[in-house]
Amino acid sequence: MEWKKGLMQIINKVKLNGNNKKFRDIIENPWGFDHSSPGAYNEASANNNGETMWQRQLYKEEACWCDLELPIGQEKREKQWGSLRVDLIGMNNARPIICELKHTEKAGQPFDAILQLLAYYCMIVQNAEKLDREHIHHTNAAQSFKWTQITNNPLLMLRANHAYWKNWEKSTKKNMAARQIVQLCKDKGLDILLVDGKTPL
């Protein structure tokens, strides 16, 4: 992954919070995968008006999505496993999509989410064969797919509601770094698409 070296040069110039450091470390050394047995995915509760409800709506309404909320990397924490889950996995014109969703009432931080998305991609690349062997899919998934297919020229999508992007035009260090990361990855053959609701930025 040629983009990793340049990525580290960009993010090392930014003051990182704890989550940033966590995902930076996963990009450098992706978590492995141990075990999981997804059953049927559940509907969002009726009083959920946030990200989970939006995720379920997109999954039902947009034909490109194959599955959602699947574990892709795990880390042993004392007596239990910590697991990270990808929000949406899809296919559009035979091109895989790995999607991270954000739904907030106030402005979010795209830099943080882009690092998270790249960390998820790195885990999927590392763990794809085992995810296939373990049949990591919901029993009521919309479409079948192979994780090894998802690693083949995927589109990485950060999709968020309009409020999340309120500060995106500001020239903050994190915003400037986020733009540099998107361009770096594009130059190295890895496409990151930023989406405001249904509108690409």
Side-chain angles (χ1 to χ4, degrees):
M1 296 184 185
E2 296 182 6
W3 52 269
K4 280 192 181 184
K5 183 177 180 181
L7 173 73
M8 296 305 162
Q9 293 174 347
I10 293 170
I11 66 177
N12 284 340
K13 298 176 182 178
V14 178
K15 185 176 181 180
L16 304 179
N17 62 32
N19 255 358
N20 297 157
K21 293 175 182 177
K22 170 185 170 181
F23 290 120
R24 175 201 62 193
D25 292 347
I26 292 173
I27 290 168
E28 290 189 301
N29 297 291
W31 289 2
F33 187 85
D34 188 77
H35 67 282
S36 184
S37 299
Y41 81 89
N42 297 318
E43 298 294 338
S45 61
N47 60 357
N48 185 305
N49 294 314
E51 187 173 303
T52 301
M53 179 64 78
W54 190 41
Q55 177 197 50
R56 299 305 198 264
Q57 288 173 343
L58 294 175
Y59 183 65
K60 285 183 175 181
E61 295 170 2
E62 298 179 353
C64 63
W65 302 118
C66 301
D67 212 334
L68 74 171
E69 282 298 325
L70 288 170
I72 52 169
Q74 296 170 320
E75 181 183 58
K76 190 68 177 288
R77 298 173 183 169
E78 297 180 359
K79 297 181 180 180
Q80 63 182 11
W81 288 88
S83 185
L84 290 171
R85 296 172 179 268
V86 63
D87 283 332
L88 289 165
I89 289 286
M91 287 279 185
N92 188 19
N93 296 323
R95 188 176 189 188
I97 309 170
I98 300 169
C99 181
E100 173 63 21
L101 290 178
K102 297 295 180 186
H103 191 286
T104 60
E105 294 182 2
K106 56 184 181 180
Q109 188 60 265
F111 173 88
D112 297 2
I114 289 170
L115 286 190
Q116 183 178 354
L117 183 58
L118 287 169
Y120 285 10
Y121 168 62
C122 290
M123 286 187 287
I124 290 171
V125 169
Q126 173 165 297
N127 299 327
E129 291 185 2
K130 187 163 189 181
L131 293 169
D132 279 335
R133 287 197 304 272
E134 298 288 328
H135 305 292
I136 304 304
H137 307 278
H138 285 106
T139 56
N140 58 344
Q143 302 177 47
S144 63
F145 69 93
K146 292 286 189 183
W147 287 98
T148 46
Q149 290 177 310
I150 300 300
T151 65
N152 183 23
N153 188 32
L155 176 66
L156 306 189
M157 179 185 293
L158 169 57
R159 187 168 179 177
N161 65 319
H162 188 65
Y164 181 89
W165 299 104
K166 283 182 179 177
N167 291 336
W168 178 235
E169 297 304 322
K170 294 183 179 179
S171 297
T172 66
K173 287 185 177 180
K174 279 195 167 182
N175 281 347
M176 289 188 287
R179 288 186 170 87
Q180 289 174 341
I181 292 169
V182 171
Q183 186 62 51
L184 166 73
C185 289
K186 182 178 180 180
D187 292 344
K188 300 298 183 180
L190 181 62
D191 291 333
I192 299 174
L193 180 64
L194 309 180
V195 183
D196 179 349
K198 292 186 177 182
T199 306
L201 296 177

